[in-house]
Amino acid sequence: MNWIKAYSGDEVFHGKFKIYAEKAHYVKWSPLTTYYNNVTRQTYYKVPINKNWPNGTDVCGQAFVDGTASNGTACVTVHN
């Protein structure tokens, strides 16, 4: 896996993103800031991963509005 993106459905999003894989003991937080994306109307935080996680590892992303309230969780399962 080369990279992963956590999305918010808003074109302006104030908060932070969490990308994690519990099975692989990996957690990455974005800075708490305001993100803008007027082109796609979705804001995102892209993290370079460059890891080979084991088959079946769940990698998840969350958006935290104002840094506290989760705006939902999306996960993908690694298949080798």
Side-chain angles (χ1 to χ4, degrees):
M1 180 177 291
N2 296 328
W3 54 266
I4 190 167
K5 287 183 182 179
Y7 282 91
S8 167
D10 304 318
E11 68 182 89
V12 177
F13 171 76
H14 178 74
K16 60 185 175 179
F17 295 98
K18 176 184 178 185
I19 297 173
Y20 63 96
E22 290 180 2
K23 187 175 180 179
H25 307 289
Y26 177 89
V27 176
K28 177 71 175 182
W29 285 92
S30 74
L32 175 59
T33 189
T34 301
Y35 296 84
Y36 299 93
N37 192 329
N38 297 324
V39 176
T40 65
R41 298 184 191 258
Q42 292 180 323
T43 53
Y44 64 88
Y45 179 63
K46 182 177 178 179
V47 176
I49 300 291
N50 298 321
K51 295 183 181 295
N52 291 318
W53 283 328
N55 193 38
T57 300
D58 291 324
V59 182
C60 301
Q62 291 178 289
F64 288 83
V65 179
D66 293 323
T68 58
S70 176
N71 203 16
T73 302
C75 298
V76 63
T77 302
V78 174
H79 297 285
N80 295 332

